[in-house]
mmCIF file of all heavy atoms in Angstrom:
data_model
loop_
_atom_site.group_PDB
_atom_site.id
_atom_site.type_symbol
_atom_site.label_atom_id
_atom_site.label_comp_id
_atom_site.label_asym_id
_atom_site.label_seq_id
_atom_site.Cartn_x
_atom_site.Cartn_y
_atom_site.Cartn_z
ATOM 1 N N LYS C 503 97.549 90.460 114.659
ATOM 2 C CA LYS C 503 98.536 89.648 115.390
ATOM 3 C C LYS C 503 99.358 90.463 116.377
ATOM 4 O O LYS C 503 99.955 89.928 117.306
ATOM 5 C CB LYS C 503 99.455 88.891 114.424
ATOM 6 C CG LYS C 503 100.310 89.777 113.536
ATOM 7 C CD LYS C 503 101.219 88.924 112.655
ATOM 8 C CE LYS C 503 102.116 89.785 111.780
ATOM 9 N NZ LYS C 503 103.057 88.998 110.979
ATOM 10 N N GLU C 504 99.388 91.795 116.196
ATOM 11 C CA GLU C 504 100.167 92.646 117.087
ATOM 12 C C GLU C 504 99.277 93.442 118.049
ATOM 13 O O GLU C 504 99.784 94.142 118.911
ATOM 14 C CB GLU C 504 101.043 93.612 116.270
ATOM 15 C CG GLU C 504 102.083 92.950 115.416
ATOM 16 C CD GLU C 504 103.171 92.255 116.212
ATOM 17 O OE1 GLU C 504 103.318 92.542 117.420
ATOM 18 O OE2 GLU C 504 103.870 91.407 115.628
ATOM 19 N N ARG C 505 97.969 93.379 117.855
ATOM 20 C CA ARG C 505 97.054 94.195 118.653
ATOM 21 C C ARG C 505 97.447 95.673 118.620
ATOM 22 O O ARG C 505 97.495 96.359 119.647
ATOM 23 C CB ARG C 505 96.990 93.686 120.093
ATOM 24 C CG ARG C 505 96.400 92.294 120.206
ATOM 25 C CD ARG C 505 96.308 91.848 121.630
ATOM 26 N NE ARG C 505 95.743 90.508 121.742
ATOM 27 C CZ ARG C 505 95.621 89.831 122.871
ATOM 28 N NH1 ARG C 505 96.050 90.373 123.999
ATOM 29 N NH2 ARG C 505 95.103 88.631 122.905
ATOM 30 N N ILE C 506 97.764 96.123 117.441
ATOM 31 C CA ILE C 506 98.158 97.522 117.219
ATOM 32 C C ILE C 506 97.041 98.215 116.442
ATOM 33 O O ILE C 506 96.579 97.710 115.428
ATOM 34 C CB ILE C 506 99.482 97.599 116.433
ATOM 35 C CG1 ILE C 506 100.647 97.147 117.318
ATOM 36 C CG2 ILE C 506 99.723 99.002 115.912
ATOM 37 C CD1 ILE C 506 101.979 97.071 116.595
ATOM 38 N N GLN C 507 96.618 99.379 116.940
ATOM 39 C CA GLN C 507 95.566 100.138 116.282
ATOM 40 C C GLN C 507 96.173 101.202 115.385
ATOM 41 O O GLN C 507 97.170 101.827 115.722
ATOM 42 C CB GLN C 507 94.665 100.783 117.338
ATOM 43 C CG GLN C 507 93.317 101.217 116.820
ATOM 44 C CD GLN C 507 92.384 101.620 117.937
ATOM 45 O OE1 GLN C 507 92.715 102.480 118.754
ATOM 46 N NE2 GLN C 507 91.206 101.015 117.997
ATOM 47 N N VAL C 508 95.560 101.387 114.199
ATOM 48 C CA VAL C 508 96.044 102.365 113.231
ATOM 49 C C VAL C 508 94.913 103.345 112.905
ATOM 50 O O VAL C 508 93.780 102.928 112.627
ATOM 51 C CB VAL C 508 96.528 101.679 111.937
ATOM 52 C CG1 VAL C 508 97.029 102.724 110.925
ATOM 53 C CG2 VAL C 508 97.620 100.663 112.238
ATOM 54 N N TYR C 509 95.222 104.636 112.971
ATOM 55 C CA TYR C 509 94.273 105.674 112.599
ATOM 56 C C TYR C 509 94.561 106.119 111.159
ATOM 57 O O TYR C 509 95.726 106.329 110.786
ATOM 58 C CB TYR C 509 94.393 106.884 113.526
ATOM 59 C CG TYR C 509 93.966 106.628 114.942
ATOM 60 C CD1 TYR C 509 94.849 106.100 115.879
ATOM 61 C CD2 TYR C 509 92.660 106.907 115.359
ATOM 62 C CE1 TYR C 509 94.462 105.856 117.180
ATOM 63 C CE2 TYR C 509 92.262 106.686 116.665
ATOM 64 C CZ TYR C 509 93.162 106.168 117.574
ATOM 65 O OH TYR C 509 92.773 105.925 118.871
ATOM 66 N N PHE C 510 93.500 106.287 110.379
ATOM 67 C CA PHE C 510 93.625 106.687 108.973
ATOM 68 C C PHE C 510 93.007 108.068 108.765
ATOM 69 O O PHE C 510 91.877 108.324 109.153
ATOM 70 C CB PHE C 510 92.905 105.679 108.068
ATOM 71 C CG PHE C 510 93.513 104.306 108.079
ATOM 72 C CD1 PHE C 510 93.161 103.396 109.067
ATOM 73 C CD2 PHE C 510 94.425 103.923 107.101
ATOM 74 C CE1 PHE C 510 93.723 102.120 109.083
ATOM 75 C CE2 PHE C 510 94.984 102.655 107.111
ATOM 76 C CZ PHE C 510 94.641 101.761 108.105
ATOM 77 N N ILE C 511 93.804 108.958 108.161
ATOM 78 C CA ILE C 511 93.337 110.297 107.798
ATOM 79 C C ILE C 511 92.718 110.211 106.406
ATOM 80 O O ILE C 511 93.383 109.802 105.442
ATOM 81 C CB ILE C 511 94.502 111.304 107.779
ATOM 82 C CG1 ILE C 511 95.146 111.398 109.178
ATOM 83 C CG2 ILE C 511 94.039 112.670 107.272
ATOM 84 C CD1 ILE C 511 94.292 112.044 110.233
ATOM 85 N N ASP C 512 91.443 110.602 106.284
ATOM 86 C CA ASP C 512 90.736 110.419 105.021
ATOM 87 C C ASP C 512 90.013 111.702 104.616
ATOM 88 O O ASP C 512 89.657 112.532 105.455
ATOM 89 C CB ASP C 512 89.708 109.278 105.171
ATOM 90 C CG ASP C 512 89.235 108.736 103.826
ATOM 91 O OD1 ASP C 512 89.747 109.190 102.777
ATOM 92 O OD2 ASP C 512 88.334 107.865 103.821
ATOM 93 N N ASN C 513 89.852 111.821 103.296
ATOM 94 C CA ASN C 513 89.098 112.909 102.696
ATOM 95 C C ASN C 513 88.772 112.471 101.275
ATOM 96 O O ASN C 513 89.643 111.984 100.557
ATOM 97 C CB ASN C 513 89.906 114.213 102.710
ATOM 98 C CG ASN C 513 89.260 115.311 101.878
ATOM 99 O OD1 ASN C 513 89.503 115.408 100.670
ATOM 100 N ND2 ASN C 513 88.455 116.132 102.505
ATOM 101 N N GLU C 514 87.522 112.656 100.870
ATOM 102 C CA GLU C 514 87.086 112.175 99.552
ATOM 103 C C GLU C 514 87.906 112.795 98.421
ATOM 104 O O GLU C 514 88.293 112.121 97.472
ATOM 105 C CB GLU C 514 85.596 112.524 99.350
ATOM 106 C CG GLU C 514 84.649 111.687 100.191
ATOM 107 C CD GLU C 514 84.392 110.317 99.593
ATOM 108 O OE1 GLU C 514 84.006 110.247 98.406
ATOM 109 O OE2 GLU C 514 84.588 109.317 100.313
ATOM 110 N N GLU C 515 88.153 114.088 98.515
ATOM 111 C CA GLU C 515 88.848 114.796 97.448
ATOM 112 C C GLU C 515 90.301 114.334 97.315
ATOM 113 O O GLU C 515 90.804 114.138 96.210
ATOM 114 C CB GLU C 515 88.812 116.293 97.732
ATOM 115 C CG GLU C 515 89.493 117.174 96.697
ATOM 116 C CD GLU C 515 88.692 117.331 95.413
ATOM 117 O OE1 GLU C 515 87.459 117.144 95.447
ATOM 118 O OE2 GLU C 515 89.300 117.624 94.377
ATOM 119 N N TYR C 516 90.963 114.117 98.438
ATOM 120 C CA TYR C 516 92.400 113.850 98.409
ATOM 121 C C TYR C 516 92.768 112.364 98.369
ATOM 122 O O TYR C 516 93.826 112.000 97.850
ATOM 123 C CB TYR C 516 93.069 114.478 99.631
ATOM 124 C CG TYR C 516 93.117 115.977 99.612
ATOM 125 C CD1 TYR C 516 92.856 116.712 100.769
ATOM 126 C CD2 TYR C 516 93.444 116.687 98.456
ATOM 127 C CE1 TYR C 516 92.902 118.103 100.765
ATOM 128 C CE2 TYR C 516 93.497 118.068 98.444
ATOM 129 C CZ TYR C 516 93.224 118.780 99.595
ATOM 130 O OH TYR C 516 93.280 120.151 99.585
ATOM 131 N N PHE C 517 91.940 111.519 98.946
ATOM 132 C CA PHE C 517 92.408 110.125 99.133
ATOM 133 C C PHE C 517 91.494 109.042 98.563
ATOM 134 O O PHE C 517 91.761 107.860 98.774
ATOM 135 C CB PHE C 517 92.644 109.872 100.628
ATOM 136 C CG PHE C 517 93.775 110.711 101.189
ATOM 137 C CD1 PHE C 517 93.520 111.695 102.134
ATOM 138 C CD2 PHE C 517 95.072 110.518 100.764
ATOM 139 C CE1 PHE C 517 94.546 112.479 102.640
ATOM 140 C CE2 PHE C 517 96.111 111.304 101.257
ATOM 141 C CZ PHE C 517 95.848 112.280 102.190
ATOM 142 N N LYS C 518 90.449 109.422 97.818
ATOM 143 C CA LYS C 518 89.557 108.383 97.291
ATOM 144 C C LYS C 518 90.181 107.629 96.118
ATOM 145 O O LYS C 518 89.912 106.441 95.920
ATOM 146 C CB LYS C 518 88.227 109.007 96.872
ATOM 147 C CG LYS C 518 87.170 107.958 96.538
ATOM 148 C CD LYS C 518 85.811 108.571 96.258
ATOM 149 C CE LYS C 518 84.778 107.488 96.014
ATOM 150 N NZ LYS C 518 83.442 108.049 95.713
ATOM 151 N N ARG C 519 91.004 108.292 95.323
ATOM 152 C CA ARG C 519 91.595 107.671 94.121
ATOM 153 C C ARG C 519 92.350 106.380 94.477
ATOM 154 O O ARG C 519 92.950 106.284 95.530
ATOM 155 C CB ARG C 519 92.503 108.672 93.415
ATOM 156 C CG ARG C 519 93.731 109.060 94.241
ATOM 157 C CD ARG C 519 94.345 110.372 93.795
ATOM 158 N NE ARG C 519 93.550 111.512 94.183
ATOM 159 C CZ ARG C 519 94.023 112.755 94.287
ATOM 160 N NH1 ARG C 519 95.284 113.011 94.043
ATOM 161 N NH2 ARG C 519 93.242 113.746 94.665
ATOM 162 N N LYS C 520 92.337 105.439 93.555
ATOM 163 C CA LYS C 520 92.857 104.103 93.832
ATOM 164 C C LYS C 520 94.379 104.019 93.643
ATOM 165 O O LYS C 520 94.883 103.161 92.903
ATOM 166 C CB LYS C 520 92.165 103.056 92.932
ATOM 167 C CG LYS C 520 90.659 102.991 93.096
ATOM 168 C CD LYS C 520 90.289 102.330 94.405
ATOM 169 C CE LYS C 520 88.776 102.140 94.539
ATOM 170 N NZ LYS C 520 88.386 101.590 95.819
ATOM 171 N N ALA C 521 95.078 104.911 94.267
ATOM 172 C CA ALA C 521 96.545 104.928 94.144
ATOM 173 C C ALA C 521 97.105 105.734 95.296
ATOM 174 O O ALA C 521 96.365 106.402 96.016
ATOM 175 C CB ALA C 521 96.962 105.555 92.811
ATOM 176 N N THR C 522 98.435 105.666 95.474
ATOM 177 C CA THR C 522 99.051 106.394 96.580
ATOM 178 C C THR C 522 99.538 107.767 96.119
ATOM 179 O O THR C 522 98.920 108.788 96.460
ATOM 180 C CB THR C 522 100.217 105.593 97.189
ATOM 181 O OG1 THR C 522 101.062 105.119 96.128
ATOM 182 C CG2 THR C 522 99.705 104.418 97.990
ATOM 183 N N PHE C 523 100.626 107.815 95.360
ATOM 184 C CA PHE C 523 101.260 109.101 95.036
ATOM 185 C C PHE C 523 101.199 109.489 93.570
ATOM 186 O O PHE C 523 101.354 110.643 93.233
ATOM 187 C CB PHE C 523 102.733 109.083 95.458
ATOM 188 C CG PHE C 523 102.963 108.567 96.854
ATOM 189 C CD1 PHE C 523 103.832 107.525 97.105
ATOM 190 C CD2 PHE C 523 102.296 109.136 97.938
ATOM 191 C CE1 PHE C 523 104.054 107.050 98.391
ATOM 192 C CE2 PHE C 523 102.494 108.671 99.234
ATOM 193 C CZ PHE C 523 103.377 107.625 99.460
ATOM 194 N N THR C 524 101.023 108.492 92.685
ATOM 195 C CA THR C 524 101.101 108.744 91.244
ATOM 196 C C THR C 524 99.941 108.101 90.513
ATOM 197 O O THR C 524 99.310 107.165 91.024
ATOM 198 C CB THR C 524 102.420 108.190 90.653
ATOM 199 O OG1 THR C 524 102.459 106.767 90.838
ATOM 200 C CG2 THR C 524 103.643 108.801 91.327
ATOM 201 N N ASP C 525 99.693 108.570 89.275
ATOM 202 C CA ASP C 525 98.662 107.942 88.439
ATOM 203 C C ASP C 525 99.234 106.711 87.758
ATOM 204 O O ASP C 525 100.388 106.313 88.004
ATOM 205 C CB ASP C 525 98.098 108.939 87.431
ATOM 206 C CG ASP C 525 99.133 109.459 86.427
ATOM 207 O OD1 ASP C 525 100.192 108.815 86.246
ATOM 208 O OD2 ASP C 525 98.887 110.535 85.837
ATOM 209 N N GLU C 526 98.437 106.100 86.871
ATOM 210 C CA GLU C 526 98.871 104.843 86.226
ATOM 211 C C GLU C 526 100.095 105.012 85.343
ATOM 212 O O GLU C 526 100.775 104.041 85.011
ATOM 213 C CB GLU C 526 97.713 104.231 85.418
ATOM 214 C CG GLU C 526 97.206 105.046 84.243
ATOM 215 C CD GLU C 526 96.129 106.051 84.660
ATOM 216 O OE1 GLU C 526 95.929 106.294 85.853
ATOM 217 O OE2 GLU C 526 95.471 106.598 83.747
ATOM 218 N N ASN C 527 100.398 106.267 84.974
ATOM 219 C CA ASN C 527 101.588 106.527 84.154
ATOM 220 C C ASN C 527 102.817 106.877 84.993
ATOM 221 O O ASN C 527 103.869 107.193 84.448
ATOM 222 C CB ASN C 527 101.307 107.673 83.175
ATOM 223 C CG ASN C 527 100.156 107.350 82.227
ATOM 224 O OD1 ASN C 527 100.089 106.243 81.702
ATOM 225 N ND2 ASN C 527 99.264 108.302 82.028
ATOM 226 N N GLY C 528 102.655 106.841 86.313
ATOM 227 C CA GLY C 528 103.766 107.163 87.184
ATOM 228 C C GLY C 528 103.965 108.657 87.400
ATOM 229 O O GLY C 528 104.980 109.091 87.961
ATOM 230 N N THR C 529 102.973 109.463 87.001
ATOM 231 C CA THR C 529 103.061 110.911 87.167
ATOM 232 C C THR C 529 102.520 111.295 88.538
ATOM 233 O O THR C 529 101.448 110.830 88.944
ATOM 234 C CB THR C 529 102.225 111.633 86.085
ATOM 235 O OG1 THR C 529 102.695 111.203 84.794
ATOM 236 C CG2 THR C 529 102.353 113.141 86.214
ATOM 237 N N LEU C 530 103.266 112.119 89.255
ATOM 238 C CA LEU C 530 102.828 112.568 90.576
ATOM 239 C C LEU C 530 101.468 113.261 90.494
ATOM 240 O O LEU C 530 101.220 114.032 89.556
ATOM 241 C CB LEU C 530 103.843 113.554 91.171
ATOM 242 C CG LEU C 530 105.166 112.991 91.676
ATOM 243 C CD1 LEU C 530 106.152 114.137 91.924
ATOM 244 C CD2 LEU C 530 104.993 112.168 92.951
ATOM 245 N N PHE C 531 100.591 112.989 91.454
ATOM 246 C CA PHE C 531 99.329 113.696 91.501
ATOM 247 C C PHE C 531 99.588 115.183 91.725
ATOM 248 O O PHE C 531 100.407 115.560 92.571
ATOM 249 C CB PHE C 531 98.446 113.151 92.626
ATOM 250 C CG PHE C 531 97.910 111.779 92.369
ATOM 251 C CD1 PHE C 531 98.109 110.758 93.286
ATOM 252 C CD2 PHE C 531 97.198 111.492 91.194
ATOM 253 C CE1 PHE C 531 97.613 109.472 93.047
ATOM 254 C CE2 PHE C 531 96.707 110.218 90.959
ATOM 255 C CZ PHE C 531 96.911 109.208 91.886
ATOM 256 N N PRO C 532 98.905 116.062 90.974
ATOM 257 C CA PRO C 532 99.175 117.501 91.085
ATOM 258 C C PRO C 532 98.848 118.082 92.458
ATOM 259 O O PRO C 532 99.356 119.140 92.812
ATOM 260 C CB PRO C 532 98.296 118.121 89.996
ATOM 261 C CG PRO C 532 97.272 117.086 89.655
ATOM 262 C CD PRO C 532 97.917 115.768 89.917
ATOM 263 N N ASP C 533 97.990 117.407 93.232
ATOM 264 C CA ASP C 533 97.637 117.931 94.550
ATOM 265 C C ASP C 533 98.362 117.224 95.697
ATOM 266 O O ASP C 533 97.941 117.328 96.855
ATOM 267 C CB ASP C 533 96.111 117.850 94.773
ATOM 268 C CG ASP C 533 95.585 116.418 94.763
ATOM 269 O OD1 ASP C 533 96.362 115.482 94.448
ATOM 270 O OD2 ASP C 533 94.383 116.223 95.079
ATOM 271 N N ASN C 534 99.472 116.560 95.402
ATOM 272 C CA ASN C 534 100.220 115.883 96.472
ATOM 273 C C ASN C 534 100.664 116.849 97.575
ATOM 274 O O ASN C 534 100.748 116.475 98.740
ATOM 275 C CB ASN C 534 101.445 115.156 95.916
ATOM 276 C CG ASN C 534 101.127 113.737 95.449
ATOM 277 O OD1 ASN C 534 100.138 113.146 95.862
ATOM 278 N ND2 ASN C 534 101.975 113.197 94.586
ATOM 279 N N ASP C 535 100.930 118.090 97.188
ATOM 280 C CA ASP C 535 101.323 119.074 98.207
ATOM 281 C C ASP C 535 100.179 119.334 99.181
ATOM 282 O O ASP C 535 100.381 119.341 100.402
ATOM 283 C CB ASP C 535 101.791 120.374 97.540
ATOM 284 C CG ASP C 535 100.710 121.036 96.687
ATOM 285 O OD1 ASP C 535 99.870 120.302 96.113
ATOM 286 O OD2 ASP C 535 100.694 122.284 96.601
ATOM 287 N N GLU C 536 98.973 119.503 98.634
ATOM 288 C CA GLU C 536 97.814 119.733 99.507
ATOM 289 C C GLU C 536 97.466 118.499 100.326
ATOM 290 O O GLU C 536 97.022 118.608 101.466
ATOM 291 C CB GLU C 536 96.612 120.186 98.666
ATOM 292 C CG GLU C 536 96.805 121.548 98.020
ATOM 293 C CD GLU C 536 95.596 122.005 97.235
ATOM 294 O OE1 GLU C 536 94.498 121.415 97.402
ATOM 295 O OE2 GLU C 536 95.738 122.966 96.452
ATOM 296 N N ARG C 537 97.668 117.333 99.762
ATOM 297 C CA ARG C 537 97.433 116.095 100.499
ATOM 298 C C ARG C 537 98.374 116.004 101.704
ATOM 299 O O ARG C 537 97.977 115.592 102.802
ATOM 300 C CB ARG C 537 97.641 114.875 99.583
ATOM 301 C CG ARG C 537 96.660 114.811 98.429
ATOM 302 C CD ARG C 537 97.110 113.783 97.397
ATOM 303 N NE ARG C 537 96.518 112.473 97.649
ATOM 304 C CZ ARG C 537 97.084 111.326 97.324
ATOM 305 N NH1 ARG C 537 98.294 111.310 96.762
ATOM 306 N NH2 ARG C 537 96.467 110.186 97.555
ATOM 307 N N ALA C 538 99.633 116.420 101.505
ATOM 308 C CA ALA C 538 100.609 116.394 102.611
ATOM 309 C C ALA C 538 100.242 117.405 103.691
ATOM 310 O O ALA C 538 100.377 117.129 104.890
ATOM 311 C CB ALA C 538 102.021 116.652 102.079
ATOM 312 N N ILE C 539 99.781 118.594 103.284
ATOM 313 C CA ILE C 539 99.344 119.600 104.247
ATOM 314 C C ILE C 539 98.137 119.098 105.025
ATOM 315 O O ILE C 539 98.083 119.186 106.265
ATOM 316 C CB ILE C 539 99.005 120.939 103.537
ATOM 317 C CG1 ILE C 539 100.246 121.556 102.891
ATOM 318 C CG2 ILE C 539 98.360 121.932 104.498
ATOM 319 C CD1 ILE C 539 99.956 122.704 101.925
ATOM 320 N N PHE C 540 97.170 118.531 104.315
ATOM 321 C CA PHE C 540 95.959 118.010 104.959
ATOM 322 C C PHE C 540 96.312 116.885 105.940
ATOM 323 O O PHE C 540 95.777 116.827 107.057
ATOM 324 C CB PHE C 540 95.005 117.476 103.884
ATOM 325 C CG PHE C 540 93.682 116.989 104.421
ATOM 326 C CD1 PHE C 540 92.627 117.869 104.598
ATOM 327 C CD2 PHE C 540 93.499 115.656 104.751
ATOM 328 C CE1 PHE C 540 91.391 117.421 105.108
ATOM 329 C CE2 PHE C 540 92.287 115.206 105.257
ATOM 330 C CZ PHE C 540 91.225 116.076 105.435
ATOM 331 N N PHE C 541 97.228 116.007 105.543
ATOM 332 C CA PHE C 541 97.625 114.904 106.412
ATOM 333 C C PHE C 541 98.265 115.425 107.696
ATOM 334 O O PHE C 541 97.901 115.008 108.803
ATOM 335 C CB PHE C 541 98.580 113.979 105.651
ATOM 336 C CG PHE C 541 99.014 112.769 106.434
ATOM 337 C CD1 PHE C 541 98.105 111.958 107.086
ATOM 338 C CD2 PHE C 541 100.368 112.433 106.513
ATOM 339 C CE1 PHE C 541 98.508 110.829 107.795
ATOM 340 C CE2 PHE C 541 100.780 111.308 107.217
ATOM 341 C CZ PHE C 541 99.847 110.513 107.863
ATOM 342 N N ALA C 542 99.191 116.366 107.565
ATOM 343 C CA ALA C 542 99.877 116.913 108.745
ATOM 344 C C ALA C 542 98.882 117.563 109.712
ATOM 345 O O ALA C 542 98.883 117.291 110.916
ATOM 346 C CB ALA C 542 100.944 117.921 108.335
ATOM 347 N N LYS C 543 98.008 118.425 109.180
ATOM 348 C CA LYS C 543 97.048 119.117 110.031
ATOM 349 C C LYS C 543 96.018 118.139 110.608
ATOM 350 O O LYS C 543 95.588 118.265 111.760
ATOM 351 C CB LYS C 543 96.369 120.242 109.244
ATOM 352 C CG LYS C 543 97.327 121.352 108.865
ATOM 353 C CD LYS C 543 96.718 122.387 107.937
ATOM 354 C CE LYS C 543 95.848 123.380 108.654
ATOM 355 N NZ LYS C 543 95.458 124.508 107.745
ATOM 356 N N GLY C 544 95.628 117.154 109.800
ATOM 357 C CA GLY C 544 94.659 116.157 110.254
ATOM 358 C C GLY C 544 95.176 115.334 111.409
ATOM 359 O O GLY C 544 94.433 115.040 112.369
ATOM 360 N N VAL C 545 96.449 114.956 111.363
ATOM 361 C CA VAL C 545 97.045 114.202 112.467
ATOM 362 C C VAL C 545 97.035 115.027 113.744
ATOM 363 O O VAL C 545 96.606 114.556 114.807
ATOM 364 C CB VAL C 545 98.498 113.775 112.114
ATOM 365 C CG1 VAL C 545 99.216 113.243 113.351
ATOM 366 C CG2 VAL C 545 98.508 112.733 111.005
ATOM 367 N N VAL C 546 97.485 116.274 113.662
ATOM 368 C CA VAL C 546 97.571 117.106 114.854
ATOM 369 C C VAL C 546 96.184 117.331 115.460
ATOM 370 O O VAL C 546 95.992 117.176 116.674
ATOM 371 C CB VAL C 546 98.221 118.479 114.543
ATOM 372 C CG1 VAL C 546 98.214 119.368 115.778
ATOM 373 C CG2 VAL C 546 99.660 118.279 114.062
ATOM 374 N N GLU C 547 95.218 117.661 114.633
ATOM 375 C CA GLU C 547 93.871 117.932 115.147
ATOM 376 C C GLU C 547 93.237 116.683 115.762
ATOM 377 O O GLU C 547 92.511 116.769 116.756
ATOM 378 C CB GLU C 547 92.985 118.502 114.034
ATOM 379 C CG GLU C 547 93.412 119.873 113.521
ATOM 380 C CD GLU C 547 93.351 120.969 114.570
ATOM 381 O OE1 GLU C 547 92.703 120.782 115.626
ATOM 382 O OE2 GLU C 547 93.967 122.015 114.361
ATOM 383 N N THR C 548 93.533 115.527 115.203
ATOM 384 C CA THR C 548 92.971 114.283 115.749
ATOM 385 C C THR C 548 93.631 113.921 117.075
ATOM 386 O O THR C 548 92.961 113.501 118.023
ATOM 387 C CB THR C 548 93.132 113.127 114.733
ATOM 388 O OG1 THR C 548 92.549 113.521 113.486
ATOM 389 C CG2 THR C 548 92.421 111.865 115.227
ATOM 390 N N VAL C 549 94.934 114.081 117.159
ATOM 391 C CA VAL C 549 95.633 113.800 118.422
ATOM 392 C C VAL C 549 95.137 114.770 119.516
ATOM 393 O O VAL C 549 94.977 114.374 120.674
ATOM 394 C CB VAL C 549 97.168 113.894 118.254
ATOM 395 C CG1 VAL C 549 97.882 113.746 119.589
ATOM 396 C CG2 VAL C 549 97.653 112.810 117.287
#
């Protein structure tokens, strides 16, 4: 409805799991730090 395009940064190891930041018990994923590093670098390299 907005004609807005969204780019998604993906990687099987970091983003395949069916959740955002925590597991089903609400515990932070242990690799959230690496996911944040990968996301930052992925955005820059894609731009």
Side-chain angles (χ1 to χ4, degrees):
K503 63 178 181 177
E504 297 293 342
R505 295 182 180 176
I506 289 174
Q507 199 170 54
V508 180
Y509 292 86
F510 295 84
I511 299 291
D512 197 4
N513 170 273
E514 288 280 307
E515 181 75 23
Y516 290 139
F517 295 114
K518 190 174 183 181
R519 66 201 73 159
K520 301 287 185 183
T522 48
F523 312 125
T524 62
D525 63 20
E526 63 272 13
N527 299 316
T529 303
L530 286 167
F531 289 125
D533 63 353
N534 273 339
D535 60 328
E536 293 182 15
R537 297 167 92 209
I539 295 168
F540 184 87
F541 182 49
K543 294 172 79 170
V545 168
V546 176
E547 294 297 344
T548 306
V549 174

